[in-house]
Amino acid sequence: MIDGLLEAVRELPSESTQQAVGYPSLFLLVALGALVPVVPTGAVVSSAAVVAFHQTAPLALLFVFLVAAFAALLGDVALYWLGQRGVRSRNGSRWLAALRGRATPERLAQARERLETHQVSVLVLSRLVPAGRIPVMLACLLAGMPLRRFVRGDLPACLAWAATYQLIGILGGSLFPEPWQGVVAAVVLALLISGAPALWRRARGARREDAKTSGGEHA
């Protein structure tokens, strides 16, 4: 069974099929991941870049970059627009509540402070820092940033984000002769990059709780 699964992974479809299915799938997954964080969008972009790296089409990597960046921008703009409706509404909205639920008070306070200091440029870094996009977006909403200004700051952020994860995919594709090997390597690396900060924060929080407990016992 395992051998059959590996064989299916190794046998990639033709380039024309990959392009006909891959670009729309990439767009939908990245846009959906920007709205609902259940899709590891960085790993998706890296995987698409690996496949494009092994294709003979000269513009395959450029298309992956443009599709990923545009989908990320569209998803961010849609989420920000929905959040604005919640801010203007007397009763809020489930989208605004979801944004608040995904940003801890500590990270929101840090984002608001950085937004006041660095203005729109903080949006560029927010997409490159794992789990940094939502707190900064919520800070922009609470500060009343207009949608047009948000788009101007989010555009270079999405371009930088797409380029970063595409480079991860190119690295994975260049290290291994088979595309499926590069896809596995790129996915693992992308997941490690996106998940490492969350694991670090949890470990740091656990150490703080242990320190408080130990301090209380000695008091």
Side-chain angles (χ1 to χ4, degrees):
M1 180 178 178
I2 296 178
D3 293 338
L5 181 60
L6 289 176
E7 188 65 26
V9 173
R10 293 189 186 102
E11 294 179 356
L12 293 176
S14 63
E15 285 193 15
S16 59
T17 303
Q18 292 175 21
Q19 294 170 2
V21 177
Y23 295 137
S25 299
L26 174 64
F27 178 85
L28 291 175
L29 288 173
V30 173
L32 177 63
L35 283 170
V36 184
V38 295
V39 179
T41 53
V44 171
V45 175
S46 297
S47 301
V50 172
V51 176
F53 179 81
H54 286 278
Q55 290 180 348
T56 58
L59 299 179
L61 284 171
L62 177 61
F63 288 154
V64 168
F65 169 72
L66 294 177
V67 170
F70 179 67
L73 177 64
L74 187 64
D76 283 356
V77 171
L79 184 58
Y80 193 80
W81 179 76
L82 291 169
Q84 277 187 321
R85 293 187 61 186
V87 170
R88 291 192 294 264
S89 174
R90 180 177 301 178
N91 299 322
S93 70
R94 64 185 183 91
W95 290 99
L96 182 60
L99 287 173
R100 290 182 181 274
R102 286 152 52 188
T104 63
E106 179 183 357
R107 290 181 64 81
L108 177 58
Q110 293 175 353
R112 298 186 76 167
E113 181 179 354
R114 292 170 184 169
L115 185 64
E116 292 177 358
T117 305
H118 302 287
Q119 297 298 318
V120 179
S121 62
V122 75
L123 284 169
V124 178
L125 295 176
S126 69
R127 255 205 170 270
L128 297 178
V129 177
R133 181 176 68 100
I134 296 302
V136 171
M137 183 180 292
L138 184 57
C140 293
L141 285 169
L142 297 179
M145 180 180 291
L147 179 60
R148 183 177 300 179
R149 187 180 178 192
F150 174 81
V151 172
R152 287 202 303 268
D154 196 52
L155 176 58
C158 292
L159 293 173
W161 171 83
T164 299
Y165 280 97
Q166 184 171 29
L167 286 176
I168 294 173
I170 293 174
L171 176 63
S174 62
L175 291 177
F176 299 95
E178 295 294 333
W180 70 270
Q181 295 172 329
V183 168
V184 172
V187 168
V188 171
L189 183 57
L191 291 177
L192 286 175
I193 291 175
S194 60
L199 294 176
W200 169 253
R201 287 194 298 271
R202 290 181 181 178
R204 187 174 60 178
R207 286 198 298 268
R208 288 179 179 177
E209 291 296 328
D210 292 340
K212 290 180 181 179
T213 303
S214 300
E217 291 176 354
H218 291 297

